[in-house]
Amino acid sequence: MSGAPRLALHWRILIVFAGTVLVWLFLYHGALPGRDYDRPTHVARAILTTVLVVPLVVAARRLLDRRGWTGLGLPSLCAGWRRLLLGMACWLVPAAIGFALCLGLGWVEISLRTSASDAARVAALLLVLVLLYEALPEELVFRGYLQRNLATRLPAWQAVLGQAVLFTLFGLLVGAATSLDRLLLFFVFALLLGGFRAATGDVWAGIGFHLAFQTVAQLFGEVGAVFDVTGAGVLGVVAMGAVPFTLGWAAIERLHRDRLNWRALEPDPTG
């Protein structure tokens, strides 16, 4: 890319963060108003989120950073599918252990509201919607663009912490995290996903982990509306949070131990 002068780092981060917040606010409160959930609105918001956010990041990378796409850490799916599946497995396998623990100890009871085929259909749809509405755009912005930019000036651990603060503030501003427990979830989740980016070098594993977590959480919640859950709070904290977050990170850290360097800076080439 051209070596022409570019905006200072704090301005680039502020512009992209503000643009991201405005996109989510526009889609949730502006273009498609109404808080009552329905599937067609979910589909529309998911598609529009990716359609708006990906060009936003592309434009920011070219016009504000004056750098190429490669630094964002989103190589082609052909190159990243193994890390995508790894990220999904890092959540799904420990979560299965957590589910078995909660059910086996009688902390949680789960019953199916509908047929198994209908539950499978809803799960497949949610997988696509979560990818388009949360996993891909959020990872591209926060662990891709923002963490990458921070990591060219700050040690890796500070870049991870910085994007986690921004992600938590994002959740607050768009209305997705307005209680203390939700703010804490956003912060811890962002720290974990930032660690995935630092360990693997790209965002595919984080997309996979994010995708698995959000899909199952929505499937067992009111968005999916196919299960009745007694003890949903325990299920969320233990089976969907503590166990997969802890064991998932342990797996990533072990697999990428040789690459992970919390004090390193990322290069900022012009190409």
Side-chain angles (χ1 to χ4, degrees), residues 218-252:
Q218 292 183 19
L219 184 64
F220 281 84
E222 289 306 311
V223 172
V226 295
F227 293 100
D228 288 313
V229 181
T230 301
V234 175
L235 187 71
V237 171
V238 177
M240 298 187 191
V243 174
F245 283 20
T246 302
L247 297 183
W249 169 247
I252 286 291

PDB file of all heavy atoms in Angstrom, residues 218-252:
ATOM      1  N   GLN A 218     -28.089 -19.608  22.279  1.00  0.00           N
ATOM      2  CA  GLN A 218     -29.370 -19.173  21.719  1.00  0.00           C
ATOM      3  C   GLN A 218     -30.323 -20.344  21.525  1.00  0.00           C
ATOM      4  O   GLN A 218     -31.540 -20.203  21.694  1.00  0.00           O
ATOM      5  CB  GLN A 218     -29.136 -18.439  20.394  1.00  0.00           C
ATOM      6  CG  GLN A 218     -28.425 -17.107  20.562  1.00  0.00           C
ATOM      7  CD  GLN A 218     -28.267 -16.342  19.259  1.00  0.00           C
ATOM      8  OE1 GLN A 218     -28.971 -16.602  18.285  1.00  0.00           O
ATOM      9  NE2 GLN A 218     -27.333 -15.404  19.231  1.00  0.00           N
ATOM     10  N   LEU A 219     -29.787 -21.507  21.181  1.00  0.00           N
ATOM     11  CA  LEU A 219     -30.628 -22.683  20.982  1.00  0.00           C
ATOM     12  C   LEU A 219     -31.339 -23.076  22.267  1.00  0.00           C
ATOM     13  O   LEU A 219     -32.510 -23.480  22.247  1.00  0.00           O
ATOM     14  CB  LEU A 219     -29.768 -23.849  20.476  1.00  0.00           C
ATOM     15  CG  LEU A 219     -30.506 -25.139  20.118  1.00  0.00           C
ATOM     16  CD1 LEU A 219     -31.445 -24.913  18.936  1.00  0.00           C
ATOM     17  CD2 LEU A 219     -29.509 -26.247  19.803  1.00  0.00           C
ATOM     18  N   PHE A 220     -30.651 -22.952  23.410  1.00  0.00           N
ATOM     19  CA  PHE A 220     -31.230 -23.318  24.695  1.00  0.00           C
ATOM     20  C   PHE A 220     -31.925 -22.146  25.378  1.00  0.00           C
ATOM     21  O   PHE A 220     -32.422 -22.290  26.493  1.00  0.00           O
ATOM     22  CB  PHE A 220     -30.161 -23.916  25.615  1.00  0.00           C
ATOM     23  CG  PHE A 220     -29.848 -25.347  25.304  1.00  0.00           C
ATOM     24  CD1 PHE A 220     -28.939 -25.678  24.313  1.00  0.00           C
ATOM     25  CD2 PHE A 220     -30.495 -26.368  25.975  1.00  0.00           C
ATOM     26  CE1 PHE A 220     -28.659 -27.002  24.006  1.00  0.00           C
ATOM     27  CE2 PHE A 220     -30.224 -27.696  25.679  1.00  0.00           C
ATOM     28  CZ  PHE A 220     -29.303 -28.020  24.687  1.00  0.00           C
ATOM     29  N   GLY A 221     -31.962 -20.998  24.719  1.00  0.00           N
ATOM     30  CA  GLY A 221     -32.652 -19.836  25.256  1.00  0.00           C
ATOM     31  C   GLY A 221     -33.936 -19.572  24.511  1.00  0.00           C
ATOM     32  O   GLY A 221     -34.439 -20.401  23.745  1.00  0.00           O
ATOM     33  N   GLU A 222     -34.454 -18.382  24.692  1.00  0.00           N
ATOM     34  CA  GLU A 222     -35.731 -18.031  24.077  1.00  0.00           C
ATOM     35  C   GLU A 222     -35.617 -17.764  22.584  1.00  0.00           C
ATOM     36  O   GLU A 222     -36.618 -17.785  21.877  1.00  0.00           O
ATOM     37  CB  GLU A 222     -36.335 -16.818  24.790  1.00  0.00           C
ATOM     38  CG  GLU A 222     -36.840 -17.123  26.188  1.00  0.00           C
ATOM     39  CD  GLU A 222     -37.824 -18.291  26.210  1.00  0.00           C
ATOM     40  OE1 GLU A 222     -38.766 -18.293  25.393  1.00  0.00           O
ATOM     41  OE2 GLU A 222     -37.638 -19.216  27.023  1.00  0.00           O
ATOM     42  N   VAL A 223     -34.426 -17.505  22.096  1.00  0.00           N
ATOM     43  CA  VAL A 223     -34.258 -17.312  20.657  1.00  0.00           C
ATOM     44  C   VAL A 223     -34.534 -18.618  19.914  1.00  0.00           C
ATOM     45  O   VAL A 223     -35.269 -18.662  18.922  1.00  0.00           O
ATOM     46  CB  VAL A 223     -32.846 -16.785  20.337  1.00  0.00           C
ATOM     47  CG1 VAL A 223     -32.605 -16.757  18.830  1.00  0.00           C
ATOM     48  CG2 VAL A 223     -32.666 -15.391  20.918  1.00  0.00           C
ATOM     49  N   GLY A 224     -33.946 -19.703  20.393  1.00  0.00           N
ATOM     50  CA  GLY A 224     -34.197 -21.006  19.779  1.00  0.00           C
ATOM     51  C   GLY A 224     -35.585 -21.525  20.088  1.00  0.00           C
ATOM     52  O   GLY A 224     -36.279 -22.050  19.218  1.00  0.00           O
ATOM     53  N   ALA A 225     -35.997 -21.391  21.348  1.00  0.00           N
ATOM     54  CA  ALA A 225     -37.345 -21.758  21.791  1.00  0.00           C
ATOM     55  C   ALA A 225     -37.695 -23.210  21.483  1.00  0.00           C
ATOM     56  O   ALA A 225     -38.838 -23.518  21.134  1.00  0.00           O
ATOM     57  CB  ALA A 225     -38.378 -20.812  21.193  1.00  0.00           C
ATOM     58  N   VAL A 226     -36.720 -24.118  21.578  1.00  0.00           N
ATOM     59  CA  VAL A 226     -37.007 -25.533  21.342  1.00  0.00           C
ATOM     60  C   VAL A 226     -36.789 -26.387  22.586  1.00  0.00           C
ATOM     61  O   VAL A 226     -37.137 -27.576  22.586  1.00  0.00           O
ATOM     62  CB  VAL A 226     -36.157 -26.093  20.172  1.00  0.00           C
ATOM     63  CG1 VAL A 226     -36.539 -25.426  18.867  1.00  0.00           C
ATOM     64  CG2 VAL A 226     -34.674 -25.922  20.435  1.00  0.00           C
ATOM     65  N   PHE A 227     -36.225 -25.803  23.642  1.00  0.00           N
ATOM     66  CA  PHE A 227     -35.990 -26.536  24.883  1.00  0.00           C
ATOM     67  C   PHE A 227     -36.619 -25.807  26.063  1.00  0.00           C
ATOM     68  O   PHE A 227     -36.653 -24.571  26.097  1.00  0.00           O
ATOM     69  CB  PHE A 227     -34.490 -26.697  25.157  1.00  0.00           C
ATOM     70  CG  PHE A 227     -33.769 -27.579  24.177  1.00  0.00           C
ATOM     71  CD1 PHE A 227     -33.023 -27.030  23.149  1.00  0.00           C
ATOM     72  CD2 PHE A 227     -33.827 -28.956  24.287  1.00  0.00           C
ATOM     73  CE1 PHE A 227     -32.356 -27.839  22.243  1.00  0.00           C
ATOM     74  CE2 PHE A 227     -33.165 -29.775  23.389  1.00  0.00           C
ATOM     75  CZ  PHE A 227     -32.422 -29.213  22.363  1.00  0.00           C
ATOM     76  N   ASP A 228     -37.097 -26.576  27.021  1.00  0.00           N
ATOM     77  CA  ASP A 228     -37.446 -26.052  28.334  1.00  0.00           C
ATOM     78  C   ASP A 228     -36.327 -26.437  29.289  1.00  0.00           C
ATOM     79  O   ASP A 228     -35.946 -27.616  29.369  1.00  0.00           O
ATOM     80  CB  ASP A 228     -38.771 -26.644  28.831  1.00  0.00           C
ATOM     81  CG  ASP A 228     -39.964 -26.088  28.081  1.00  0.00           C
ATOM     82  OD1 ASP A 228     -40.027 -24.858  27.927  1.00  0.00           O
ATOM     83  OD2 ASP A 228     -40.821 -26.887  27.649  1.00  0.00           O
ATOM     84  N   VAL A 229     -35.786 -25.457  29.974  1.00  0.00           N
ATOM     85  CA  VAL A 229     -34.625 -25.688  30.833  1.00  0.00           C
ATOM     86  C   VAL A 229     -34.955 -25.260  32.258  1.00  0.00           C
ATOM     87  O   VAL A 229     -35.331 -24.109  32.497  1.00  0.00           O
ATOM     88  CB  VAL A 229     -33.388 -24.925  30.330  1.00  0.00           C
ATOM     89  CG1 VAL A 229     -32.187 -25.193  31.236  1.00  0.00           C
ATOM     90  CG2 VAL A 229     -33.076 -25.303  28.890  1.00  0.00           C
ATOM     91  N   THR A 230     -34.814 -26.173  33.182  1.00  0.00           N
ATOM     92  CA  THR A 230     -34.890 -25.856  34.612  1.00  0.00           C
ATOM     93  C   THR A 230     -33.463 -25.750  35.136  1.00  0.00           C
ATOM     94  O   THR A 230     -32.672 -26.689  34.968  1.00  0.00           O
ATOM     95  CB  THR A 230     -35.652 -26.956  35.383  1.00  0.00           C
ATOM     96  OG1 THR A 230     -36.964 -27.079  34.839  1.00  0.00           O
ATOM     97  CG2 THR A 230     -35.743 -26.611  36.853  1.00  0.00           C
ATOM     98  N   GLY A 231     -33.138 -24.627  35.759  1.00  0.00           N
ATOM     99  CA  GLY A 231     -31.766 -24.405  36.191  1.00  0.00           C
ATOM    100  C   GLY A 231     -30.926 -23.763  35.104  1.00  0.00           C
ATOM    101  O   GLY A 231     -29.723 -24.046  34.982  1.00  0.00           O
ATOM    102  N   ALA A 232     -31.551 -22.886  34.311  1.00  0.00           N
ATOM    103  CA  ALA A 232     -30.847 -22.268  33.186  1.00  0.00           C
ATOM    104  C   ALA A 232     -29.648 -21.447  33.639  1.00  0.00           C
ATOM    105  O   ALA A 232     -28.632 -21.383  32.940  1.00  0.00           O
ATOM    106  CB  ALA A 232     -31.816 -21.384  32.389  1.00  0.00           C
ATOM    107  N   GLY A 233     -29.757 -20.826  34.810  1.00  0.00           N
ATOM    108  CA  GLY A 233     -28.636 -20.039  35.306  1.00  0.00           C
ATOM    109  C   GLY A 233     -27.402 -20.889  35.556  1.00  0.00           C
ATOM    110  O   GLY A 233     -26.283 -20.522  35.176  1.00  0.00           O
ATOM    111  N   VAL A 234     -27.595 -22.044  36.186  1.00  0.00           N
ATOM    112  CA  VAL A 234     -26.473 -22.955  36.439  1.00  0.00           C
ATOM    113  C   VAL A 234     -25.917 -23.485  35.128  1.00  0.00           C
ATOM    114  O   VAL A 234     -24.694 -23.575  34.940  1.00  0.00           O
ATOM    115  CB  VAL A 234     -26.928 -24.126  37.338  1.00  0.00           C
ATOM    116  CG1 VAL A 234     -25.804 -25.145  37.497  1.00  0.00           C
ATOM    117  CG2 VAL A 234     -27.373 -23.610  38.695  1.00  0.00           C
ATOM    118  N   LEU A 235     -26.808 -23.830  34.201  1.00  0.00           N
ATOM    119  CA  LEU A 235     -26.367 -24.328  32.899  1.00  0.00           C
ATOM    120  C   LEU A 235     -25.497 -23.291  32.194  1.00  0.00           C
ATOM    121  O   LEU A 235     -24.456 -23.624  31.635  1.00  0.00           O
ATOM    122  CB  LEU A 235     -27.580 -24.666  32.034  1.00  0.00           C
ATOM    123  CG  LEU A 235     -27.279 -25.348  30.697  1.00  0.00           C
ATOM    124  CD1 LEU A 235     -26.800 -26.776  30.919  1.00  0.00           C
ATOM    125  CD2 LEU A 235     -28.512 -25.334  29.798  1.00  0.00           C
ATOM    126  N   GLY A 236     -25.929 -22.034  32.242  1.00  0.00           N
ATOM    127  CA  GLY A 236     -25.170 -20.982  31.582  1.00  0.00           C
ATOM    128  C   GLY A 236     -23.808 -20.758  32.204  1.00  0.00           C
ATOM    129  O   GLY A 236     -22.801 -20.626  31.503  1.00  0.00           O
ATOM    130  N   VAL A 237     -23.758 -20.719  33.519  1.00  0.00           N
ATOM    131  CA  VAL A 237     -22.496 -20.429  34.214  1.00  0.00           C
ATOM    132  C   VAL A 237     -21.524 -21.592  34.129  1.00  0.00           C
ATOM    133  O   VAL A 237     -20.334 -21.406  33.844  1.00  0.00           O
ATOM    134  CB  VAL A 237     -22.777 -20.062  35.686  1.00  0.00           C
ATOM    135  CG1 VAL A 237     -21.468 -19.974  36.472  1.00  0.00           C
ATOM    136  CG2 VAL A 237     -23.540 -18.752  35.778  1.00  0.00           C
ATOM    137  N   VAL A 238     -22.013 -22.805  34.357  1.00  0.00           N
ATOM    138  CA  VAL A 238     -21.125 -23.968  34.436  1.00  0.00           C
ATOM    139  C   VAL A 238     -20.858 -24.574  33.061  1.00  0.00           C
ATOM    140  O   VAL A 238     -19.714 -24.632  32.605  1.00  0.00           O
ATOM    141  CB  VAL A 238     -21.717 -25.040  35.382  1.00  0.00           C
ATOM    142  CG1 VAL A 238     -20.825 -26.288  35.399  1.00  0.00           C
ATOM    143  CG2 VAL A 238     -21.863 -24.485  36.791  1.00  0.00           C
ATOM    144  N   ALA A 239     -21.926 -25.042  32.395  1.00  0.00           N
ATOM    145  CA  ALA A 239     -21.751 -25.809  31.167  1.00  0.00           C
ATOM    146  C   ALA A 239     -21.399 -24.945  29.967  1.00  0.00           C
ATOM    147  O   ALA A 239     -20.684 -25.390  29.060  1.00  0.00           O
ATOM    148  CB  ALA A 239     -23.023 -26.618  30.879  1.00  0.00           C
ATOM    149  N   MET A 240     -21.919 -23.711  29.920  1.00  0.00           N
ATOM    150  CA  MET A 240     -21.643 -22.853  28.775  1.00  0.00           C
ATOM    151  C   MET A 240     -20.539 -21.837  29.039  1.00  0.00           C
ATOM    152  O   MET A 240     -20.021 -21.243  28.098  1.00  0.00           O
ATOM    153  CB  MET A 240     -22.917 -22.113  28.358  1.00  0.00           C
ATOM    154  CG  MET A 240     -24.036 -23.018  27.907  1.00  0.00           C
ATOM    155  SD  MET A 240     -25.434 -22.073  27.245  1.00  0.00           S
ATOM    156  CE  MET A 240     -26.671 -23.342  27.126  1.00  0.00           C
ATOM    157  N   GLY A 241     -20.186 -21.625  30.301  1.00  0.00           N
ATOM    158  CA  GLY A 241     -19.201 -20.611  30.634  1.00  0.00           C
ATOM    159  C   GLY A 241     -17.937 -21.166  31.250  1.00  0.00           C
ATOM    160  O   GLY A 241     -16.919 -21.343  30.573  1.00  0.00           O
ATOM    161  N   ALA A 242     -17.979 -21.477  32.534  1.00  0.00           N
ATOM    162  CA  ALA A 242     -16.761 -21.805  33.280  1.00  0.00           C
ATOM    163  C   ALA A 242     -15.998 -22.986  32.701  1.00  0.00           C
ATOM    164  O   ALA A 242     -14.778 -22.920  32.503  1.00  0.00           O
ATOM    165  CB  ALA A 242     -17.115 -22.065  34.748  1.00  0.00           C
ATOM    166  N   VAL A 243     -16.694 -24.087  32.420  1.00  0.00           N
ATOM    167  CA  VAL A 243     -15.994 -25.291  31.950  1.00  0.00           C
ATOM    168  C   VAL A 243     -15.410 -25.094  30.552  1.00  0.00           C
ATOM    169  O   VAL A 243     -14.203 -25.288  30.352  1.00  0.00           O
ATOM    170  CB  VAL A 243     -16.932 -26.518  31.998  1.00  0.00           C
ATOM    171  CG1 VAL A 243     -16.248 -27.734  31.358  1.00  0.00           C
ATOM    172  CG2 VAL A 243     -17.311 -26.842  33.443  1.00  0.00           C
ATOM    173  N   PRO A 244     -16.203 -24.701  29.545  1.00  0.00           N
ATOM    174  CA  PRO A 244     -15.591 -24.539  28.211  1.00  0.00           C
ATOM    175  C   PRO A 244     -14.621 -23.365  28.109  1.00  0.00           C
ATOM    176  O   PRO A 244     -13.643 -23.440  27.358  1.00  0.00           O
ATOM    177  CB  PRO A 244     -16.802 -24.343  27.289  1.00  0.00           C
ATOM    178  CG  PRO A 244     -17.899 -23.897  28.167  1.00  0.00           C
ATOM    179  CD  PRO A 244     -17.662 -24.542  29.501  1.00  0.00           C
ATOM    180  N   PHE A 245     -14.861 -22.284  28.856  1.00  0.00           N
ATOM    181  CA  PHE A 245     -13.922 -21.165  28.802  1.00  0.00           C
ATOM    182  C   PHE A 245     -12.560 -21.599  29.347  1.00  0.00           C
ATOM    183  O   PHE A 245     -11.522 -21.295  28.775  1.00  0.00           O
ATOM    184  CB  PHE A 245     -14.444 -19.980  29.608  1.00  0.00           C
ATOM    185  CG  PHE A 245     -15.534 -19.180  28.918  1.00  0.00           C
ATOM    186  CD1 PHE A 245     -16.280 -19.727  27.878  1.00  0.00           C
ATOM    187  CD2 PHE A 245     -15.830 -17.902  29.324  1.00  0.00           C
ATOM    188  CE1 PHE A 245     -17.284 -19.003  27.253  1.00  0.00           C
ATOM    189  CE2 PHE A 245     -16.824 -17.158  28.708  1.00  0.00           C
ATOM    190  CZ  PHE A 245     -17.560 -17.716  27.671  1.00  0.00           C
ATOM    191  N   THR A 246     -12.569 -22.311  30.470  1.00  0.00           N
ATOM    192  CA  THR A 246     -11.315 -22.722  31.105  1.00  0.00           C
ATOM    193  C   THR A 246     -10.593 -23.790  30.286  1.00  0.00           C
ATOM    194  O   THR A 246      -9.401 -23.659  29.966  1.00  0.00           O
ATOM    195  CB  THR A 246     -11.582 -23.250  32.520  1.00  0.00           C
ATOM    196  OG1 THR A 246     -12.227 -22.235  33.292  1.00  0.00           O
ATOM    197  CG2 THR A 246     -10.286 -23.654  33.207  1.00  0.00           C
ATOM    198  N   LEU A 247     -11.305 -24.856  29.942  1.00  0.00           N
ATOM    199  CA  LEU A 247     -10.670 -25.958  29.222  1.00  0.00           C
ATOM    200  C   LEU A 247     -10.368 -25.579  27.779  1.00  0.00           C
ATOM    201  O   LEU A 247      -9.371 -26.040  27.208  1.00  0.00           O
ATOM    202  CB  LEU A 247     -11.563 -27.197  29.275  1.00  0.00           C
ATOM    203  CG  LEU A 247     -11.821 -27.789  30.670  1.00  0.00           C
ATOM    204  CD1 LEU A 247     -12.659 -29.065  30.570  1.00  0.00           C
ATOM    205  CD2 LEU A 247     -10.502 -28.074  31.390  1.00  0.00           C
ATOM    206  N   GLY A 248     -11.212 -24.741  27.178  1.00  0.00           N
ATOM    207  CA  GLY A 248     -10.951 -24.300  25.814  1.00  0.00           C
ATOM    208  C   GLY A 248      -9.669 -23.502  25.719  1.00  0.00           C
ATOM    209  O   GLY A 248      -8.855 -23.714  24.805  1.00  0.00           O
ATOM    210  N   TRP A 249      -9.478 -22.577  26.654  1.00  0.00           N
ATOM    211  CA  TRP A 249      -8.240 -21.805  26.651  1.00  0.00           C
ATOM    212  C   TRP A 249      -7.041 -22.693  26.946  1.00  0.00           C
ATOM    213  O   TRP A 249      -5.982 -22.537  26.333  1.00  0.00           O
ATOM    214  CB  TRP A 249      -8.299 -20.658  27.650  1.00  0.00           C
ATOM    215  CG  TRP A 249      -6.951 -20.036  27.833  1.00  0.00           C
ATOM    216  CD1 TRP A 249      -6.167 -20.050  28.943  1.00  0.00           C
ATOM    217  CD2 TRP A 249      -6.188 -19.345  26.825  1.00  0.00           C
ATOM    218  NE1 TRP A 249      -4.972 -19.413  28.698  1.00  0.00           N
ATOM    219  CE2 TRP A 249      -4.955 -18.974  27.407  1.00  0.00           C
ATOM    220  CE3 TRP A 249      -6.441 -19.009  25.493  1.00  0.00           C
ATOM    221  CZ2 TRP A 249      -3.982 -18.285  26.706  1.00  0.00           C
ATOM    222  CZ3 TRP A 249      -5.455 -18.323  24.783  1.00  0.00           C
ATOM    223  CH2 TRP A 249      -4.250 -17.964  25.395  1.00  0.00           C
ATOM    224  N   ALA A 250      -7.199 -23.646  27.870  1.00  0.00           N
ATOM    225  CA  ALA A 250      -6.089 -24.544  28.193  1.00  0.00           C
ATOM    226  C   ALA A 250      -5.639 -25.312  26.953  1.00  0.00           C
ATOM    227  O   ALA A 250      -4.434 -25.511  26.726  1.00  0.00           O
ATOM    228  CB  ALA A 250      -6.501 -25.508  29.303  1.00  0.00           C
ATOM    229  N   ALA A 251      -6.601 -25.719  26.121  1.00  0.00           N
ATOM    230  CA  ALA A 251      -6.262 -26.456  24.908  1.00  0.00           C
ATOM    231  C   ALA A 251      -5.524 -25.565  23.906  1.00  0.00           C
ATOM    232  O   ALA A 251      -4.501 -25.969  23.334  1.00  0.00           O
ATOM    233  CB  ALA A 251      -7.537 -27.028  24.278  1.00  0.00           C
ATOM    234  N   ILE A 252      -6.038 -24.368  23.683  1.00  0.00           N
ATOM    235  CA  ILE A 252      -5.390 -23.446  22.744  1.00  0.00           C
ATOM    236  C   ILE A 252      -3.991 -23.080  23.219  1.00  0.00           C
ATOM    237  O   ILE A 252      -3.025 -23.064  22.439  1.00  0.00           O
ATOM    238  CB  ILE A 252      -6.250 -22.174  22.562  1.00  0.00           C
ATOM    239  CG1 ILE A 252      -7.478 -22.469  21.718  1.00  0.00           C
ATOM    240  CG2 ILE A 252      -5.436 -21.044  21.933  1.00  0.00           C
ATOM    241  CD1 ILE A 252      -7.205 -22.759  20.261  1.00  0.00           C
TER     242      ILE A 252
END
